[in-house]
Amino acid sequence: MAETSGGTTASQSPRGLVFLFAGLMLTMLLASLNQTVLNPALPTIVGELHGADLMLWVITVYILASTITMPAYGKLGDLFGRKPLLLSAIGIFLVGSVVSATAGDITWLIVGRTIQGVGGGGLMILSQAAIADVIPARERGRYMGIMSGVFALSSVAGPLLGGWFTEGPGWRWVFWVTVPLGLLAATAAVVFLRLPARTGPRPSIDVAGMAILSVTTTGIVLVGTWGGTTYAWTSPTILGLIAGTIAAAALFVFVESRAAEPVLPLHLFRDRNFDLITVSGLLVSVALFGVAGYLPTYLQMVTGVSATVAGLLMLPMMGSLFLTSTLAGRVVTSTGRYKAIPIAGSVLIAIGLVLLSQLTVTTPTWVLGCCIAVIGVGLGMTGQLMVLVVQNSFPIEEVGTATAGNNYFRQIGATLGSAVVGSVFASRVATLIAERAPAGIVADSLTPESVRQLPDAARLPVVEAYNDALAPIYLWISPLALVATVLLCFVVEKPLATTIERRQELPVEAATTGS
């Protein structure tokens, strides 16, 4: 896309924009599909690998690794250009997929998921930032709506593929399927992405800030994962982790205030909209990953459906998310107004969580579908619009860093949502099964198939234990969405930019084939 220095953008050819957007969409699909395709297969995987006690880490380490790397990808993309980093992220992701697919035990699976997360953090951030490189904020609304459609598609296709692979060729294909998709995404990036390249003196890299941020993030996740389950909240381990995390966070602020090119610049937090949107996104992410991460397991264990059917039962949530996000994006593009939409969306998320908390083992599946559809509508009205508000608050030279900063805290919410909900869920399941089920039935080795084969006298206590372990958690986290509602009311509705302003003219990264 041609730029005039510090001025408006010249129009890019429709064909070039279509190819560019298609490449970025494919990259986002790769990252988002990876987070959903695993859920239906997870009960079978941990049962076969005898790692039910480590189940939450299979999900949590991916989110943790991607969270740690997001700010680095965002900052380095602003400094050096996004295309080389995007290709590197895809390569790392594919290595993690191969390690996961060939894992012989739960430990190696967790290692593979960690490597995937290191690459996955770049896939999300660099795709979102690259869109901002070529499309003005006012026009970006409808593209953000389509991006949410990618998440909806992966949320539907992922559970279906995960269920089909689990019941057919085997759960390892959950990881193998990402390899051809990754190669296709890399090819699209090489051929079609023509993004502004960064020139000039080699900038310094905030290695110290990145390292300290990694320590801080890990501490937050460990506190959320171990607190109240593996260790008591008042134990020396948890208290030490909390103290260490606070100390690391304070050291990070000190280092960032003196870094030449801070990975997470402190001046971002002087922007009111950035603060409000970031905290709201964190709270909503806790709710989202608490639902999406463990509801497929709940459906298989409680209703007795197959992994494929469990994926199908998530359709109401994802279908409503896709329709709502697309409509919301078009409304924002046509009117330039956006504040009221996420406010209403966060209220609907709270309502949906309260409805889910009322589930019982006899609740009809259509009722459950209606509950999660309400959450889907709320998510469609919040997710990508929040990213748009953040991007609209900063110049294009900082859009990657701002996007990464916002997504970092949203991923912290996702990590805490997965870790806290998962650890509490697993602990409550183990306790309730030990109290209610006949002797010899241990939560650690249960799979959906083994539960279905139990006699009614033994199966019913197990099913009720799963229901009573998860449903109340949704009521406990519903106030988070209401807090997000209050915060969003104070967002300042700034006019959406109609041009892309740059401080200096930048050359365009070469592509193997011009678009």
Side-chain angles (χ1 to χ4, degrees), residues 54-364:
L54 296 175
M55 178 176 71
L56 70 94
W57 281 105
V58 177
I59 296 176
T60 302
V61 293
Y62 177 88
I63 303 173
L64 173 59
S66 62
T67 303
I68 289 173
T69 56
M70 274 183 178
Y73 278 117
K75 185 64 179 182
L76 294 176
D78 283 342
L79 293 178
F80 300 105
R82 308 194 209 285
K83 184 174 179 178
L85 283 175
L86 183 59
L87 293 172
S88 299
I90 293 173
I92 295 171
F93 183 88
L94 293 183
V95 171
S97 297
V98 173
V99 173
S100 299
T102 56
D105 55 47
I106 196 70
T107 301
W108 273 109
L109 178 61
I110 291 173
V111 170
R113 291 285 290 165
T114 303
I115 298 172
Q116 278 190 315
V118 172
L123 300 184
M124 285 294 188
I125 293 303
L126 297 170
S127 297
Q128 291 179 340
I131 288 294
D133 274 326
V134 295
I135 300 173
R138 179 63 181 268
E139 297 297 320
R140 210 177 302 150
R142 58 183 176 183
Y143 290 93
M144 289 295 190
I146 298 173
M147 281 185 171
S148 292
V150 171
F151 292 107
L153 174 62
S154 64
S155 298
V156 174
L160 291 177
L161 287 172
W164 184 80
F165 286 135
T166 302
E167 296 168 359
W171 60 263
R172 295 182 189 276
W173 281 93
V174 166
F175 300 104
W176 285 124
V177 73
T178 63
V179 174
L181 286 176
L183 294 175
L184 190 58
T187 301
V190 169
V191 175
F192 299 126
L193 297 192
R194 301 174 61 87
L195 303 177
R198 302 304 188 252
T199 58
R202 182 180 179 86
S204 61
I205 300 176
D206 185 17
V207 176
M210 294 177 187
I212 298 170
L213 185 62
S214 300
V215 173
T216 304
T217 306
T218 303
I220 293 172
V221 174
L222 290 179
V223 169
T225 303
W226 288 345
T229 53
T230 306
Y231 302 98
W233 285 107
T234 55
S235 69
T237 301
I238 296 300
L239 293 178
L241 274 174
I242 293 174
T245 301
I246 293 174
L251 180 60
F252 176 74
V253 172
F254 175 80
V255 169
E256 294 302 273
S257 66
R258 286 159 175 76
E261 290 288 350
V263 65
L264 195 60
L266 299 183
H267 74 260
L268 295 179
F269 300 96
R270 291 196 289 269
D271 184 272
R272 175 177 176 177
N273 281 2
F274 178 84
D275 293 339
L276 294 172
I277 291 294
T278 296
V279 176
S280 299
L282 184 152
L283 297 175
V284 169
S285 292
V286 172
L288 168 60
F289 280 83
V291 174
Y294 298 97
L295 199 56
T297 297
Y298 170 92
L299 289 169
Q300 292 180 68
M301 292 297 197
V302 174
T303 67
V305 300
S306 66
T308 302
V309 175
L312 285 171
L313 290 176
M314 298 297 290
L315 276 172
M317 177 176 172
M318 305 315 164
S320 59
L321 187 158
F322 171 69
L323 293 174
T324 307
S325 63
T326 302
L327 179 61
R330 290 186 176 276
V331 169
V332 170
T333 295
S334 62
T335 66
R337 307 299 298 271
Y338 53 83
K339 180 176 178 178
I341 297 175
I343 292 174
S346 58
V347 171
L348 289 174
I349 292 172
I351 292 173
L353 289 171
V354 172
L355 293 175
L356 281 181
S357 72
Q358 306 305 306
L359 294 177
T360 68
V361 295
T362 59
T363 300

Side-chain angles (χ1 to χ4, degrees), residues 50 154 218 293 359 366 389 430 498:
H50 305 290
S154 64
T218 303
L359 294 177
W366 69 266
V389 175
T498 57

Side-chain angles (χ1 to χ4, degrees), residues 390-423:
V390 168
Q391 292 181 344
N392 189 56
S393 299
F394 297 95
I396 193 63
E397 289 82 4
E398 289 189 309
V399 75
T401 302
T403 302
N406 174 255
N407 275 273
Y408 169 78
F409 287 100
R410 291 173 71 169
Q411 285 291 90
I412 287 291
T415 305
L416 292 176
S418 294
V420 174
V421 172
S423 60

